[in-house]
Structures are given as C-alpha cells and as structure tokens.
Amino acid sequence: MPYTAEHKAATRDRIVSAARRLFNCNGFSQVTIEQIMAEAELTRGGFYHHFGSKEQLFTEVVACYVTCNPLAVEARNGGIEYTNARFVARRLIDLYLSDMVFDDVSQHCPLYALPSDARNLGEASREAYTDLIRGMSQAFRAALAGRDDGDAKAQAIIALCVGGMVLARTTADVALRKSLRASAHAQAVRMLEE
C-alpha cells in the first residue's frame, strides 16, 4: 500500500530537520547521506524518494529556515501575532544574537552556520541563501519604512547580526563570544531605533 501524501511530507520534514542539525554541527561535506538518514531514523534507501542529491537537500535546509527559525517557532508556539514591524525587527535581533540561539547549534541560521558551503555548492544553494537574505532584509526594511536610508540600514543590521554570530562561533574565548554578540546587538538596535 503506497504512503499517503501526508506521510511523505512528514518523512521529508524529518530528513530536512536531521540534515539541518547535522549540517549546522559539522558542515555539508562532513555529513553523509547515511548519517542524515540515521539521524532521521530512516533507511538510506529512502533518501532518493525525496531528494535527487545531498546538494538538493542542502538547498531545502537553507530554504526551510524561513519557517523553522527561532522567531517563527516562537510565534507559532506562543500564539504571538507579530503585526508591528518594529517589534518584529527588534525581536529578530534579540533572538538572533541571544545566548539561547548561540548555545543551540541546531537553531543556527545558515547565513552564519554554513556560508562556505553555500558559496561552494551550486546556483540553487546560492539562490536559497539570497532568498534568506532578502527575507531577513524585508523584516528590517519594514521596520525602517519611510527612511531614505532604510535599505542600507537593513543590510547593515543583517551584516551586524550575521557577522557577530560568525565571529562568536569561531573564537574559543567565552568572554569575547559574548562581547562580540553584545556589541553587534547594541549597534543593530541603535540603527533600528535611530
């Protein structure tokens, strides 16, 4: 008996979630299809029923961050309606650079967790990254609506958030990790509220 469409979608989601966790922890090239499927508690043979290649899965992992990021999860689980653009942008900055997100690698955004992988993979992966950047930029542009420099500030805020996390992830100095994120947070909030 064939699986239902719902079962197929749920299985695909399990694979994407498992890959996101493993890619965030180890990077694209260090993770095998066997590891992904084991993490998803599935057999390797099922992989190709859902994805044509590991790179296609990577692209899906990047694209899914729109719905699995901490802000989206918070809104969904808390029943919070984010209708005020300024509040959404501020909450995004707060969560993006938070200890909670930093300490949980599975929540890391592909923009800072996997930038080299996206650069080295095909066009589809770079397009998914571009869409993620544009979506994040839109959240900040909406909060900065009506300002002549809104686009530039939105991009600068993204650079602060992503850059703060990239640098924090690379240092062994715990105090510096916190300081880098705190400085990026303060500057991003200042730009948002000017």
Side-chain angles (χ1 to χ4, degrees), residues 59-194:
T59 300
E60 184 81 17
V61 164
V62 173
C64 88
Y65 194 73
V66 171
T67 58
C68 71
N69 69 70
L71 184 65
V73 170
E74 181 181 86
R76 202 169 40 250
N77 292 343
I80 301 166
E81 270 194 53
Y82 291 112
T83 55
N84 179 295
R86 179 77 47 125
F87 176 79
V88 169
R90 173 61 192 262
R91 189 68 186 133
L92 179 56
I93 294 167
D94 292 346
L95 281 171
Y96 206 88
L97 293 160
S98 70
D99 290 339
M100 176 191 76
V101 170
F102 184 81
D103 293 339
D104 184 355
V105 176
S106 70
Q107 293 191 62
H108 286 188
C109 174
L111 295 178
Y112 61 81
L114 305 165
S116 295
D117 293 323
R119 185 193 72 228
N120 294 330
L121 294 174
E123 188 66 27
S125 296
R126 287 190 299 277
E127 285 177 18
Y129 253 67
T130 301
D131 290 344
L132 194 55
I133 293 167
R134 286 183 178 141
M136 193 172 177
S137 180
Q138 178 55 39
F140 294 128
R141 280 198 321 267
L144 297 163
R147 297 185 185 185
D148 291 338
D149 60 352
D151 286 343
K153 279 190 174 184
Q155 290 179 12
I157 292 170
I158 292 170
L160 283 164
C161 289
V162 173
M165 289 297 274
V166 166
L167 293 174
R169 280 175 49 114
T170 61
T171 182
D173 184 329
V174 175
L176 183 56
R177 285 182 200 155
K178 284 191 169 289
S179 176
L180 286 164
R181 289 182 293 120
S183 296
H185 182 273
Q187 293 304 312
V189 168
R190 184 184 60 75
M191 292 181 81
L192 181 66
E193 295 178 351
E194 281 182 336

